[in-house]
Amino acid sequence: MPGTRLTATHLTRRVLTTVPPRGAVIVAVAGSEALRDRSESATFTAGPERRVHMTI
């Protein structure tokens, strides 16, 4: 998600927590290390390389 602002990350998290069933895993790849770090601070969990995930 190049150029994504932290506000968009929070909005995405809010939407994703209302759509998938409980227990679903959301996976994404950040466009940069900085975005991965910001995503991690927004309750995503960092994985290998620039991957992040969140369990609903």
Side-chain angles (χ1 to χ4, degrees):
M1 300 163 84
T4 301
R5 300 205 188 283
L6 191 53
T7 302
T9 302
H10 287 292
L11 178 59
T12 300
R13 183 180 183 284
R14 181 187 294 171
V15 169
L16 291 175
T17 58
T18 61
V19 176
R22 187 167 289 284
V25 178
I26 307 300
V27 179
V29 177
S32 68
E33 294 296 323
L35 183 55
R36 182 192 60 112
D37 293 343
R38 288 190 307 227
S39 297
E40 188 175 6
S41 70
T43 70
F44 284 84
T45 302
E49 299 179 23
R50 293 188 323 256
R51 296 182 188 113
V52 294
H53 67 275
M54 176 178 57
T55 304
I56 305 296

